[in-house]
Structures are given as C-alpha cells and as structure tokens.
C-alpha cells in the first residue's frame, strides 16, 4: 500500500514533466485525490525574497524628521515593496533603517539604535515573495505551485524558513547572534515538519542564497541529527562558497540585486556595505586563483588582493576595518553536508568574469568581460565548488549529483519550462 502511494505520487510528479497542455489534461483526471506528496519539503527562496518588518522605538533618532514618522506606530514592512518605498519617498529612511552598525562589544553587526526588526511568516513557504509585480514566478512561486498541484500544503508538508537578508551566516570560528537564533528555529521547524509527517525525513530545496543557507545550516547540525531528519538536499543555483564576480560588481556599484525602480544603485552602496551578506561569496582564490578580476590602468587585483582593493575603493564603515567582514583569505573551506545532495545549475549564459575600470574611477560602471556561467554565478566557481563537495561525499559513499542545465539563467531555473522539468524530475527522484 505504502509503495503504491509513493508510486502514484511519483507518477503524478512525472506527469508534470509532460508539456503543459498534456499535463493539464492528465493531471486532474483519474489519478485524482489518492495521490499524495511523500516526504515533507522545506523550500527556501533566494536573496531578497524574504520580507523584513521594522518597528521604531523612542530611542530612534532619525537623521531626517520624516524618517521618524512611524515612530511608536508598531511593526511596518520595511522590505516588502520597492515600489511603495519609492512612491512614498521613503528611500533615505529605508537606507538608514535597514543599515547595520558594527558593535565592538560583540564584534558583530546589529540594527541602528531604536530600530527593531523581524522576519514575518517564519515556517511558511509564503514567507518568500518578489518585491514588485514584474516577476510573478520569481522567488520559487512557480515551483511552489507545482508542488501544491501534487498535494503539498503550506504548514502541513511544505514549509519555508525566511531569513534576514542583511546578515551572513558565520564563518568557521565566528559567532553570529542572528544565525545562532535562526539555525535553532530552522532545526525546530525541521523536527516539527518530520513529526507532523509520520517521522519522515525532510527534503530541503533552496534557490541561490537560500541554497547556500541550507548548506550552512546542515553543516551546523550534528551528523546524527542530519541522518535522522534529512532525506535529501536539492540546491538550485546555490551561491557557492567559492564565490562569484557579481559580489564584486554589487559591492562597487551598489546592490543591483535589490532592483529599485529609478533609484541609482550607487545611492544604496553605503547601506549595502553595512550588510554582512554583501561579502559572503567574494570570489575566492580557490576558484579564481591569481587571475586579475578587477582591472585598472595601473594595477590589477586578484582574489589575493582584497585588502588593497578595499582601500582603493574607499570602503569604510565607522569603526570597522573592512577585514572584520572578510574571512581569513587562506581559510576558504567547502564542507560537504554528508547527506544525499543534488545540485542543479544553469550554464551557457554570459557571466561577468572581470570588471575593467580603465581610469581607476570606481564610481562609474565598469566595462565587463564575460565568461561562462548562469549570468550571476561563474561556472569555474561552480565546478571548483562541486568538485570539492563530490570528493567529500563520494569518499563516504554518499550520493552526490551535479546537473548542468544549458541555456538557463540564475533566476530562471525554476521558471523556464525546460529547466523546471529537470528540477521536478530531480525532486521526484529525491522523493521516491
Ligand atoms: C507585502 O506586500 C504585498 C503586496 O503589496 C502585500 O500583499 C503583503 O501583505 C505584504 N506583506 C507584509 C508581510 O507586509
Ligand atoms: C591587467 O590584466 C590585463 C588582463 O589580463 C593585462 O592585459 C594587463 O597587462 C594587466 N595590467 C597590469 C598593470 O598588470
Ligand atoms: C536559449 O534560451 C533563449 C530564451 O529562452 C532562446 O530564445 C534561445 O533560442 C535558446 N538558445 C539555445 C541555444 O537553446
């Protein structure tokens, strides 16, 4: 009986792989209600998809009087709608209230004085949403719809663990209050998901930054816990520990990744520099070696030259050495999760591999030199990353699978038909 249900679940998932007209026809006929999703799923969205709410207390001293308008008025969505922020002329206030400050007492970053924040909808797959209406299927919405079509239900067997996008998970040996708390909540959520589903282990699916967080979360748990609670990790275009060039371009030019209508990215650069997430996946020497990645007339910079490069662009935060935010550059480590792992990545898309600032002015857009990748993450880095993961997994006889999908961009991997089919086939396999 159990096998039968699992088989029907698989069949239903395979039907999704048919062209959509056929799927529409077959999907709702015959097989019907008895089909069920098998293992519970935790689905994580990419960077920018979580919402951040804020509350301003009496301790908050706004730099502009109107930035204090919401003081004492309770929680409001600070990061949820880019259009609202622009239309309400809230951008300078947004920048101030989102920015983090360095706290020498903890050697970490925290909110501005008088600004409290929280991430709503923890536990729900609806905790992830795109911040305007230009991309209705972004943030895994299409994938979520497909999972719901085969019987996954939010809060029953489908979950999400939205996160504070400003903070990076700690590097080995570092401490992060935000992540200590977040990882503890994720752990409880996974146990809850498992218990609610007959103690079945959970499948984790994560896109981009959400995939990276899954890996870091899993690696923070005891091995025995992983073996008990995790069925499989399916990571879709995860931002690799070995880094990618977009981290550099966003750092120099401001956060293109946040996409505000009609706001120059450069205006948000100071805020961006205060996020610890902004430098999380800096190109590493492990993937980029001695290659010059930032080119100017008088000197080039490779992944070995970050201290000089940060000095050259004038990166500074009050009381903070830029190096506080950097990992020890010689201590780049990729740690495999030691549970079944499937990674899928787009390839064959022009991806920035070098930036050129001929006259050394870092406040103008650079000339870009392209290489292979998914438009965001460089293929050389994905290969260095997956090679290391594979080596570790295979040495312990644990499943590792890496699938390159031609001609699909970083953001489109769960949106385009041809890549979504491949993703769903891998989820079906993990679910069998
Ligand atoms: C975010 O914005 C959307 C659309 O404007 C709205 O429907 C939703 O309720 C908001 N979510 C939060 C948590 O404020
Ligand atoms: C910087 O790198 C470019 C491209 O590899 C090279 O042509 C140029 O000679 C280098 N410039 C310096 C100053 O080393
Ligand atoms: C790549 O994808 C684009 C957009 O979906 C499509 O127009 C193009 O024909 C594809 N190219 C190849 C070589 O498959």
């Amino acid at each position: 009986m159990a096998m039968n249900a699992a088989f029907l679940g698989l069949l239903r998932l395979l039907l999704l792989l048919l062209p959509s007209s056929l799927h529409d026809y077959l999907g709702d006929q015959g097989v019907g209600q008895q089909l069920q999703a098998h293992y519970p799923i935790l689905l994580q969205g990419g960077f920018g998809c979580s919402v951040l709410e804020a509350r301003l207390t009496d301790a908050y001293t706004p730099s502009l009087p109107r930035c204090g308008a919401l003081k004492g008025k309770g929680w409001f969505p600070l990061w949820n709608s880019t259009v609202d922020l622009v239309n309400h002329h809230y951008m300078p206030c947004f920048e101030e209230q989102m920015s983090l400050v360095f706290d020498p007492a903890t050697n970490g970053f925290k909110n501005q004085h008088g600004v409290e924040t929280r991430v709503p909808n923890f536990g729900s797959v609806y905790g992830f949403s795109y911040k305007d209406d230009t991309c209705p299927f972004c943030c895994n919405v299409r994938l979520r719809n497909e999972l719901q079509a085969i019987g996954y239900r939010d809060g029953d067997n489908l979950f999400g663990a939205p996160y504070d996008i400003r903070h990076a998970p700690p590097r080995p040996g570092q401490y992060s209050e935000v992540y200590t708390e977040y990882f503890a909540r994720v752990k409880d959520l996974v146990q809850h998901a498992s218990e609610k589903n007959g103690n079945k282990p959970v499948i984790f699916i994560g896109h981009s930054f959400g995939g990276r967080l899954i890996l870091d979360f899993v690696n923070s748990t005891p091995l025995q816990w992983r073996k008990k609670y995790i069925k499989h990790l399916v990571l879709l275009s995860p931002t690799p520990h070995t880094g990618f060039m977009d981290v550099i371009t966003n750092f120099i030019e401001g956060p293109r990744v946040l996409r505000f209508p009609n706001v120059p990215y450069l205006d948000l650069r100071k805020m961006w520099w205060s996020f610890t997430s902004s430098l999380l996946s800096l190109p590493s020497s492990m993937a980029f070696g001695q290659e010059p990645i930032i080119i100017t007339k008088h000197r080039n910079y490779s992944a070995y030259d970050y201290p000089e490069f940060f000095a050259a662009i004038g990166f500074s935060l009050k009381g903070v050495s830029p190096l506080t935010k950097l990992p020890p550059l010689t201590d780049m480590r990729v740690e495999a999760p030691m549970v079944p792992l499937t990674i899928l990545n787009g390839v064959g898309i022009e991806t920035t591999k070098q930036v050129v600032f001929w006259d050394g002015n870092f406040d103008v857009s650079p000339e870009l030199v392209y290489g292979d990748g998914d438009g965001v993450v460089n293929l050389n880095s994905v290969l260095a990353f997956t090679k290391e993961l594979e080596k570790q997994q295979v040495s312990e006889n644990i499943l590792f699978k890496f699938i390159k999908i031609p001609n699909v961009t970083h953001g489109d991997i769960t949106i385009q038909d041809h890549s979504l089919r491949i993703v769903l086939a891998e989820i079906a396999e993990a679910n069998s």
Side-chain angles (χ1 to χ4, degrees):
M1 276 297 144
M3 196 200 97
N4 205 23
F7 172 74
L8 286 172
L10 185 63
L11 181 66
R12 184 84 195 261
L13 203 40
L14 288 172
L15 287 178
L16 290 172
L17 311 180
L18 299 170
S20 56
S21 53
L22 205 50
H23 153 228
D24 288 347
Y25 177 71
L26 291 171
D28 296 321
Q29 308 279 324
V31 267
Q33 300 288 355
Q34 31 176 326
L35 292 180
Q36 47 185 334
H38 201 47
Y39 294 93
I41 288 180
L42 177 74
L43 179 59
Q44 291 288 80
F47 195 82
C49 292
S50 300
V51 175
L52 191 71
E53 294 183 331
R55 180 164 71 176
L56 308 176
T57 70
D58 286 342
Y60 175 58
T61 318
S63 57
L64 296 170
R66 65 192 167 86
C67 294
L70 294 170
K71 217 160 131 168
K73 302 241 164 78
W75 294 103
F76 65 94
L78 179 60
W79 171 244
N80 184 35
S81 161
T82 52
V83 180
D84 270 4
L85 290 168
V86 172
N87 289 350
H88 290 101
H89 308 290
Y90 204 74
M91 289 309 292
C93 312
F94 168 76
E95 184 165 7
E96 176 168 291
Q97 292 160 15
M98 279 293 273
S99 290
L100 298 173
V101 288
F102 183 65
D103 178 12
T106 61
N107 202 29
F109 288 78
K110 60 174 189 184
N111 285 329
Q112 303 280 339
H113 203 49
V115 177
E116 295 176 353
T117 51
R118 68 177 185 192
V119 178
N121 277 320
F122 186 85
S124 169
V125 75
Y126 289 92
F128 300 102
S129 58
Y130 204 60
K131 299 300 178 266
D132 64 35
D133 55 12
T134 60
C135 187
F137 288 133
C138 278
C139 295
N140 291 337
V141 168
R142 187 160 182 207
L143 176 57
R144 186 185 78 203
N145 292 345
E146 295 290 359
L147 292 173
Q148 286 170 333
I150 58 159
Y152 277 98
R153 292 290 169 265
D154 188 42
D156 288 339
N157 50 7
L158 183 59
F159 303 86
Y163 47 87
D164 185 334
I165 65 168
R166 303 170 300 165
H167 290 272
R171 306 173 196 283
Q174 281 183 334
Y175 172 77
S176 156
E177 197 179 329
V178 170
Y179 271 92
T180 301
E181 193 197 319
Y182 174 75
F183 283 168
R185 289 181 83 188
V186 177
K187 204 168 166 196
D188 285 347
L189 179 65
V190 171
Q191 289 171 195
H192 165 80
S194 171
E195 278 152 25
K196 204 165 176 180
N197 289 277
N199 295 318
K200 287 182 197 141
V202 176
I203 296 173
F204 288 61
I205 305 172
H207 177 233
S208 191
F209 194 87
R212 160 74 192 246
L213 287 192
I214 286 175
L215 262 189
D216 284 1
F217 163 71
V218 170
N219 286 336
S220 79
T221 62
L223 208 52
Q224 259 186 322
W225 187 91
R226 297 179 213 176
K227 306 266 180 219
K228 173 161 185 212
Y229 286 106
I230 301 175
K231 172 79 167 81
H232 204 118
L233 309 184
V234 181
L235 308 184
L236 313 171
S237 321
T239 49
H241 289 61
T242 42
F244 57 104
M245 273 305 285
D246 255 28
V247 170
I248 296 276
T249 49
N250 279 275
F251 205 77
I252 299 175
E253 293 189 88
R256 257 189 300 171
V257 63
L258 296 182
R259 292 173 206 280
F260 281 91
N262 308 320
V263 176
Y265 310 122
L266 202 56
D267 287 5
L268 293 169
R269 189 168 70 177
K270 268 265 147 36
M271 173 192 87
W272 186 244
W273 285 1
S274 82
F275 294 2
T276 52
S277 51
S278 67
L279 287 180
L280 179 64
S281 304
L282 207 54
S284 70
S285 51
M286 195 173 151
F288 293 81
Q290 308 265 10
E291 276 290 296
I293 51 179
I294 303 145
I295 295 173
T296 72
K297 200 191 305 177
H298 297 297
R299 98 153 271 189
N300 293 339
Y301 302 87
S302 75
Y304 288 97
D305 303 321
Y306 290 127
E308 295 82 3
F309 165 66
F310 287 126
I313 64 170
F315 169 48
S316 70
L317 290 168
K318 231 193 228 155
V320 187
S321 149
L323 299 183
T324 314
K325 295 181 66 183
L326 287 177
L329 295 170
T330 49
D331 191 27
M332 211 6 269
R333 260 195 306 166
V334 172
E335 215 185 310
M338 297 308 183
V339 289
L341 171 62
T342 302
I343 294 188
L344 298 100
N345 249 96
V347 295
I349 307 288
E350 278 191 342
T351 305
T352 304
K353 67 167 190 181
Q354 287 172 322
V355 290
V356 184
F357 296 88
W358 276 127
D359 59 4
N361 175 6
F362 292 112
D363 291 340
V364 299
S365 287
E367 251 175 74
L368 304 177
V369 180
Y370 294 110
D372 199 350
D374 68 3
V376 172
V377 177
N378 306 91
L379 181 60
N380 60 317
S381 183
V382 174
L383 295 177
F385 181 58
T386 50
K387 188 175 157 201
E388 187 55 37
L389 290 171
E390 178 170 26
K391 191 174 88 191
Q392 295 175 30
Q393 298 268 118
V394 166
S395 75
E396 298 283 328
N397 236 331
I398 300 166
L399 184 138
F400 176 81
K401 198 166 169 186
F402 171 49
I403 298 172
K404 287 188 269 186
I405 309 179
N407 199 29
V408 69
T409 64
H410 189 75
D412 275 353
I413 191 163
T414 62
I415 297 179
Q416 293 256 324
D417 288 338
H418 81 284
S419 54
L420 181 62
R421 276 190 201 121
I422 297 170
V423 167
L424 287 169
E426 289 310 312
I427 295 172
E429 199 173 305
N431 217 334
S432 65

